[in-house]
Amino acid sequence: MIITIISAIFVFGLLVLVHEFGHFITAKLTGMRVDEFAIGFGPKLFSKKYGETKYSLRAIPLGGFNDIAGMDAADNTAGERGFCEKPVFSRMIVILAGSTMNFILPIVLFFLIYATVGVGKPAVEPVIGGLIPGMSAEEAGLQIGDKILSADGVKIETWEDFLNKVKNFEAGKPVILSYERNSQVAEVEVIPKLDERSKRVLVGIQSSIEYEEKPVGEAFTSAVTHTKDIFVGMLNALADLFKKPSGADLAGPIGIAQMAGQAAETGIIPLLNFAALLSLNLGIINLLPVPALDGGHFVGLVIEAIRGKPMSQKALMYTQRAGVALLLLLTLYATTNDLIRVLTK
């Protein structure tokens, strides 16, 4: 539990902080007045004013926020330096900067991993490196570090042997896995399940990872390429979700915290990988054209640029309320999913 809490604070804090820093630095560069840049939320623990901006540390260490003057045109106290008074293009830059930073962060994290530890690839030995929550391997009691010895009596010597055997598994048909843990050999029954998204039969076992060192230049290139591939994969998955809506796999704060804890239990590198994946996810989701998200705000600025004047305050109020209501419903639905997974586990 402690690992899960600390991991969740680290991941959520890092992602939101990087996102807000993007808004902060571009607001400064475009001449806007930033009244406060806060690390965390809630009561202030410490604050110090440098120039016109107050920098504060707050009690709840989950991200942070910016107080940019003039975000509400009706309450602009910064004159021409208020957000609402700046050219549309400048405001677009500030709005897009948060998600842009979420796209840059994975490149930085992957680069640090590749340059210091190396590029990960599945280990040759059939050793369990991860377990998918809710799948039969986890439910049967298998653990990270267990070495698979055989499947239904067929000897397993390499991870590739195990993958080839899994291809022949039938959904719902029990399989006996023999494994070694702490020099002790035991058997367990797992029931493969059909993964609707990938249309593959799975038992929920992931390989352990071996790392291959890379020179600095190659590490950067690999980081950019890997980030691009994941980004494209996420866009495709999002498109599939709109074609065939399903919220069964939607995870909320509780689910994400659990995944962060599970990643942390296997080491700092898996946790950084998870943070990189979640950062990309956050960047994409935040750019969706939904009022109350940066994407919705950006669409409003595009409309303003076309019309030559901003939307009315009444229209903005109603769209913002609709966006907030939608986000609250999605959060409630995702949290309900999380609770069902926890209680039925």
Side-chain angles (χ1 to χ4, degrees):
M1 179 62 75
I2 296 299
I3 292 178
T4 297
I5 293 173
I6 293 174
S7 303
I9 289 174
F10 169 75
V11 172
F12 283 125
L14 176 64
L15 268 54
V16 179
L17 188 60
V18 165
H19 182 96
E20 292 300 330
F21 180 76
H23 293 314
F24 168 79
I25 195 65
T26 49
K28 285 283 191 180
L29 291 173
T30 52
M32 298 176 189
R33 193 185 81 195
V34 182
D35 293 330
E36 182 177 0
F37 179 74
I39 298 176
F41 298 97
K44 292 179 185 177
L45 300 178
F46 170 82
S47 67
K48 181 73 174 179
K49 192 168 185 178
Y50 292 96
E52 64 186 11
T53 304
K54 179 167 60 179
Y55 300 86
S56 62
L57 179 65
R58 294 177 177 252
I60 304 173
L62 295 175
F65 66 89
N66 288 287
D67 183 7
I68 302 175
M71 290 296 292
D72 181 357
D75 188 32
N76 178 28
T77 60
E80 63 180 13
R81 295 192 59 211
F83 177 89
C84 59
E85 293 296 324
K86 290 295 179 180
V88 172
F89 183 69
S90 296
R91 285 179 276 156
M92 286 180 172
I93 290 174
V94 174
I95 291 301
L96 294 178
S99 287
T100 300
M101 289 298 291
N102 284 129
F103 297 144
I104 292 174
L105 178 61
I107 296 176
V108 174
L109 292 178
F110 288 139
F111 170 72
L112 290 174
I113 293 170
Y114 298 163
T116 57
V117 179
V119 176
K121 61 179 182 179
V124 175
E125 282 196 313
V127 174
I128 298 176
L131 294 164
I132 300 176
M135 296 296 287
S136 55
E138 183 193 48
E139 293 171 351
L142 287 170
Q143 298 178 9
I144 292 172
D146 291 346
K147 182 178 180 180
I148 306 299
L149 302 177
S150 68
D152 275 347
V154 178
K155 189 175 183 180
I156 303 294
E157 295 184 336
T158 65
W159 179 253
E160 188 175 358
D161 288 344
F162 180 68
L163 290 181
N164 291 332
K165 185 63 179 174
V166 170
K167 291 177 184 177
N168 298 318
F169 289 169
E170 296 179 23
K173 184 178 179 180
V175 175
I176 302 298
L177 295 182
S178 173
Y179 65 95
E180 180 182 339
R181 180 189 301 166
N182 299 326
S183 301
Q184 300 293 317
V185 176
E187 290 186 345
V188 68
E189 180 183 271
V190 297
I191 301 177
K193 298 179 182 179
L194 177 65
D195 180 58
E196 293 294 339
R197 182 172 296 175
S198 64
K199 302 300 180 184
R200 294 186 300 149
V201 175
L202 304 174
V203 293
I205 294 175
Q206 299 169 330
S207 71
S208 56
I209 302 298
E210 294 177 342
Y211 292 93
E212 178 184 351
E213 293 185 8
K214 295 284 185 180
V216 172
E218 194 174 339
F220 179 75
T221 302
S222 297
V224 173
T225 301
H226 190 43
T227 301
K228 180 201 72 175
D229 291 342
I230 296 172
F231 178 80
V232 172
M234 286 183 174
L235 289 181
N236 291 333
L238 187 62
D240 291 340
L241 184 62
F242 280 111
K243 292 176 185 176
K244 189 178 179 181
S246 173
D249 296 326
L250 191 64
I254 297 174
I256 294 172
Q258 283 185 317
M259 287 185 275
Q262 290 166 352
E265 286 176 356
T266 60
I268 185 63
I269 300 303
L271 182 61
L272 292 178
N273 272 292
F274 177 73
L277 294 175
L278 197 59
S279 184
L280 278 173
N281 191 276
L282 175 64
I284 292 171
I285 295 299
N286 208 47
L287 287 181
L288 291 177
V290 176
L293 294 180
D294 287 348
H297 203 150
F298 181 77
V299 170
L301 291 174
V302 172
I303 293 173
E304 179 181 339
I306 294 172
R307 296 175 70 229
K309 60 180 180 179
M311 295 171 62
S312 69
Q313 287 297 312
K314 191 173 182 179
L316 284 172
M317 180 184 70
Y318 283 125
T319 55
Q320 290 291 324
R321 286 180 179 179
V324 170
L326 177 61
L327 292 177
L328 287 175
L329 285 173
L330 285 174
T331 302
L332 179 61
Y333 181 75
T335 303
T336 302
N337 276 355
D338 293 341
L339 292 173
I340 290 173
R341 292 189 191 102
V342 171
L343 296 175
T344 58
K345 185 175 177 180

